[in-house]
Amino acid sequence: MAKDMVYLVTGGCGYIGEHIVKILAKEDYIKEVRIFDVVEVDSIKSFSTDSTTVRLIKGDITDYNQLQKAMEGVDVVIHTAALVDYLDTLPFHKMEAINVGGTKNVLKACISMDVRYIVYTSSVAAVGPNSNYEPMLRGTEDTMYNGKTELSYGKTKACAENIIRQAKGTQTRNGKLLVTCAIRPSNIYGEKSVTVLESYLSAKSKNGLITCIEPKNVDHNYTYVGNVAWMHVLAARNLQLKPAILGGQVYYAYDDTPMRHRSDLYTALYSEIDPRMTETKHVPYWKMWLIVHIYSIIKFLVSPFCSLKPFVTPPVLKLIFTTFSYETDKAFRHFEYRPLFSWLESKRKTCEWLKQATENLQNNHKNHKQK
C-alpha cells in the first residue's frame, strides 16, 4: 500500500468522526488527515503527530464547490457527516438535503478529483425496524428484511448507503475505478456519548436508580465508539489492498461488548463509578405510551406560545420496544477486523471520561453560582 497518503474525514469533529481522526493520526502510512466539518473544534488539531498532520477545513457538505476544493490531493474519503435524528422530529427535507444531497456531493467531488476510495458511515437504522415494527433477532448482512424503515433518519441513510455502494466501479475523471463500502453502527457508547452522560446524571439525581424504557426481553447491539472508528480505518486501508472483496460491501459494526440490553450496559458502566448504581427501574409500555401521548397533547396546545424540548414520539416508542439486532463476523472474514479495544478497556475508558465530564459539569455549576 502507498505511503504518505492524505485522508479526508467529513464530519471529523463529530462523535464517530473525532475517534476516526484520532486513530488515523497514529497510522504511519498517512501524512495528512483533513477534517471537513461545518463546525470548528480547534482542539482536534492536537491529534497531530510527528508523522501526520491534522488539518481542519470548515465547510458544508451541501456546498459542492467547498467539498471539491477540500479534496484536492486526497487519496481516501471517510464520509461520516450526517444530520442525526433518532427522535424523528426534524423536517425530512432538511435531513434529506444533508444525508442524501451531501452524500451525492461527496461522490461527485470524488469523481471530479480522482479520489478512488470511499468508506461511508451508514446506520442500522438504514435497515430497520420497518414501519410494521417487525423484529430481527441476531441477523447478518445477508438477512432478508423487507418493508419501509419507520424513521426519516433511516430512510435518508438507506438512500445514501445505496448511492455509495452502487457507485462501485464508477470511473473518475481520469479513468480510475471507484471502490466503496459502508459501515453500519448500531447503539454506540464511549467518550462524549451524550446519552450515556445524561442517563448517568439522571441516575445520580435518583440516588443511583437507573431508569430504562426497554423491556428486558428486547435484544439490541452495543458497540464501543473506538471500535466503530477502528473498523472504519481498517476498511479504508483494505479497500486499497482488497478492492475486489470489499468493493460495494456493507458491514455491521460490532465488538465484544457482552451486553444486549441498555440497562445491563449502564449498570456495568455506572457501578464502576458508584457501587450504588445497581438497581434498574423498567417503565412498562402502557405507562410510557400514556406519558408520550399526554406530552404530545401538551406540546400541541402550547405550540403557539413556545416550543417544548423534543420527546419520544409514539412511533419511536414502538421502535424502542422492538428487538432489532445482528450477530456477524463478516468484517473479520473480509479484512481481519478485530476490536482494537476489549470490553474491559472500553468500559475503563468510558468510565474515566464519564467521571471527568461529571466533575467538569459540577465545577462549572459552582463557578456559575459564585458569579
Side-chain angles (χ1 to χ4, degrees):
M1 192 174 71
K3 295 280 187 179
D4 297 330
M5 303 195 75
V6 178
Y7 275 58
L8 176 75
V9 182
T10 69
C13 292
Y15 182 38
I16 298 176
E18 180 177 325
H19 286 268
I20 291 173
V21 171
K22 197 172 185 178
I23 295 174
L24 288 174
K26 297 176 182 178
E27 298 296 311
D28 58 7
Y29 56 89
I30 301 173
K31 71 174 181 180
E32 182 183 351
V33 180
R34 292 182 197 169
I35 300 167
F36 186 84
D37 206 311
V38 72
V39 299
E40 290 183 284
V41 181
D42 289 333
S43 60
I44 205 167
K45 296 177 184 176
S46 64
F47 293 158
S48 292
T49 63
D50 292 339
S51 59
T52 307
T53 301
V54 176
R55 177 184 166 201
L56 180 58
I57 302 172
K58 186 175 182 180
D60 191 327
I61 60 170
T62 62
D63 189 320
Y64 170 72
N65 292 328
Q66 290 181 354
L67 263 174
Q68 187 183 41
K69 185 177 180 181
M71 283 192 194
E72 186 174 352
V74 167
D75 299 294
V76 180
V77 168
I78 301 180
H79 175 34
T80 76
L83 185 59
V84 181
D85 177 26
Y86 293 116
L87 294 178
D88 215 25
T89 58
L90 297 175
F92 180 78
H93 68 86
K94 184 177 181 181
M95 199 175 305
E96 186 179 41
I98 295 172
N99 296 353
V100 180
T103 298
K104 288 179 179 178
N105 282 341
V106 169
L107 184 58
K108 182 180 175 183
C110 284
I111 292 171
S112 172
M113 302 306 292
D114 268 348
V115 182
R116 287 192 67 193
Y117 306 104
I118 309 173
V119 176
Y120 174 62
T121 307
S122 185
S123 169
V124 69
V127 182
N130 59 26
S131 55
N132 293 324
Y133 309 104
E134 295 171 333
M136 183 176 82
L137 178 63
R138 311 287 174 100
T140 71
E141 291 86 350
D142 297 322
T143 298
M144 297 299 296
Y145 185 83
N146 299 315
K148 295 181 179 179
T149 57
E150 177 67 20
L151 295 180
S152 296
Y153 173 67
K155 293 173 185 175
T156 60
K157 295 300 282 187
C159 183
E161 179 188 292
N162 287 333
I163 289 170
I164 290 294
R165 294 179 66 190
Q166 291 174 8
K168 169 202 166 187
T170 302
Q171 284 195 351
T172 67
R173 183 187 61 191
N174 290 329
K176 298 177 182 177
L177 299 182
L178 283 180
V179 189
T180 66
C181 73
I183 308 293
R184 290 179 187 154
S186 184
N187 300 289
I188 307 173
Y189 69 93
E191 302 94 302
K192 298 193 175 182
S193 168
V194 175
T195 55
V196 170
L197 178 58
E198 288 181 346
S199 296
Y200 176 71
L201 294 175
S202 174
K204 276 179 67 72
S205 69
K206 298 174 183 175
N207 296 318
L209 181 64
I210 303 169
T211 303
C212 278
I213 299 174
E214 303 96 320
K216 287 293 289 184
N217 63 344
V218 167
D219 194 83
H220 290 153
N221 291 81
Y222 295 90
T223 314
Y224 176 60
V225 65
N227 289 322
V228 175
W230 176 235
M231 183 178 280
H232 281 73
V233 173
L234 271 185
R237 182 194 302 173
N238 283 278
L239 276 181
Q240 304 161 64
L241 299 173
K242 305 174 182 178
I245 295 177
L246 275 75
Q249 296 293 327
V250 64
Y251 303 93
Y252 282 122
Y254 61 91
D255 61 11
D256 60 354
T257 301
M259 286 71 190
R260 286 281 183 167
H261 192 278
R262 191 182 305 273
S263 65
D264 294 335
L265 175 65
Y266 285 178
T267 300
L269 294 174
Y270 302 164
S271 61
E272 286 287 312
I273 304 171
D274 186 345
R276 295 178 308 154
M277 295 192 180
T278 56
E279 186 178 357
T280 304
K281 176 184 178 182
H282 291 274
V283 183
Y285 180 82
W286 69 266
K287 186 177 288 188
M288 278 305 306
W289 184 92
L290 190 61
I291 293 171
V292 167
H293 280 78
I294 292 174
Y295 185 89
S296 299
I297 293 171
I298 294 173
K299 185 177 180 182
F300 174 76
L301 292 175
V302 304
S303 59
F305 314 103
C306 65
S307 178
L308 293 180
K309 183 180 179 180
F311 190 59
V312 176
T313 61
V316 171
L317 180 62
K318 288 185 179 180
L319 292 177
I320 293 172
F321 276 73
T322 301
T323 284
F324 205 80
S325 62
Y326 51 84
E327 190 163 355
T328 176
D329 65 347
K330 183 178 177 180
F332 171 74
R333 288 185 285 107
H334 280 204
F335 53 94
E336 297 181 358
Y337 161 78
R338 294 181 179 86
L340 185 62
F341 304 96
S342 68
W343 156 239
L344 291 179
E345 290 174 300
S346 302
K347 181 168 64 170
R348 176 183 60 79
K349 291 171 74 68
T350 302
C351 290
E352 287 176 355
W353 163 77
L354 198 52
K355 285 192 288 187
Q356 187 61 56
T358 305
E359 289 173 8
N360 291 342
L361 286 173
Q362 291 172 342
N363 292 334
N364 290 339
H365 181 67
K366 288 179 183 177
N367 293 336
H368 181 71
K369 287 184 70 175
Q370 290 172 357
K371 291 179 181 179

